[in-house]
Amino acid sequence: MTVDEQAQSLVKTIMEWYSEDRPVDSWMKKSADLSELGILNHYELSILAFPVDEITLACRGQASYKAFLIEESRTSLTESPISKEILPELTWKYATLERYLVLQQWQSAVTSATPVQIVMGTKVMVPSIVEDAQVLSTRALERAESTESLHAIGTVAHALTNDVWSPD
């Protein structure tokens, strides 16, 4: 067994352990029916943010390893477990959970929206959700970009434009 094969086998094992330790699948089930979206409290939002960040890091590491393999031409990428199984599944899970997290954060921001003074010393006010939308969008897009996956970036960008920035 080559070093590359050992590394890919180890990555696969670690990701299996991770999926057993983290409630990613339970979050995936909760996010499946967005029509019955209940608002999570701040504690639940922070709990959901951890696996989203961890999956982002895992996607980035595996995408970097895949890029290294391409650069070094060490393996046929069509046959590697990272290219065939792990990275597509993680990217899908990341994008799904990111969208769910953003929707939950957005609903939380809407329910707690208050007028915010935009020019100090004046009475010019805007709803706080204007700033919240920008912060949520920036954070989500930066996380999506760090996965190094065009599919994740596109999915998250679409979700943001459809769910946060939509005039509906």
Side-chain angles (χ1 to χ4, degrees):
M1 186 180 264
T2 67
V3 173
D4 174 51
E5 290 168 336
Q6 290 174 356
Q8 292 199 40
S9 174
L10 183 60
V11 165
K12 191 172 183 179
T13 302
I14 290 170
M15 293 315 300
E16 287 169 358
W17 292 344
Y18 173 79
S19 66
E20 291 172 11
D21 288 344
R22 283 294 188 189
V24 172
D25 289 334
S26 67
W27 285 113
M28 295 293 289
K29 288 176 188 169
K30 287 182 183 180
S31 70
D33 188 7
L34 295 177
S35 64
E36 294 184 21
L37 196 63
I39 298 174
L40 298 177
N41 63 39
H42 291 291
Y43 175 73
E44 291 171 316
L45 285 173
S46 66
I47 295 297
L48 174 56
F50 287 123
V52 172
D53 285 336
E54 291 167 349
I55 291 174
T56 302
L57 181 62
C59 285
R60 182 181 186 137
Q62 291 177 35
S64 296
Y65 186 67
K66 180 179 169 183
F68 169 75
L69 292 177
I70 291 170
E71 187 176 304
E72 296 294 318
S73 298
R74 292 186 180 212
T75 187
S76 170
L77 290 175
T78 58
E79 297 176 13
S80 79
I82 288 177
S83 296
K84 240 175 33 177
E85 302 166 24
I86 300 170
L87 196 52
E89 180 181 352
L90 274 182
T91 301
W92 170 71
K93 285 184 176 183
Y94 159 74
T96 302
L97 290 179
E98 181 72 64
R99 179 174 185 224
Y100 184 62
L101 177 61
V102 167
L103 284 172
Q104 288 291 333
Q105 290 173 327
W106 177 244
Q107 283 191 343
S108 178
V110 168
T111 60
S112 62
T114 58
V116 175
Q117 189 177 34
I118 61 170
V119 179
M120 298 304 224
T122 68
K123 294 185 180 190
V124 179
M125 308 287 262
V126 296
S128 59
I129 58 173
V130 173
E131 185 177 75
D132 293 339
Q134 188 274 328
V135 170
L136 290 174
S137 298
T138 300
R139 188 179 322 139
L141 286 172
E142 285 174 350
R143 263 196 305 254
E145 187 274 329
S146 73
T147 66
E148 299 182 16
S149 166
L150 292 177
H151 296 292
I153 295 168
T155 301
V156 171
H158 173 74
L160 289 169
T161 56
N162 188 52
D163 300 325
V164 175
W165 291 100
S166 173
D168 297 333

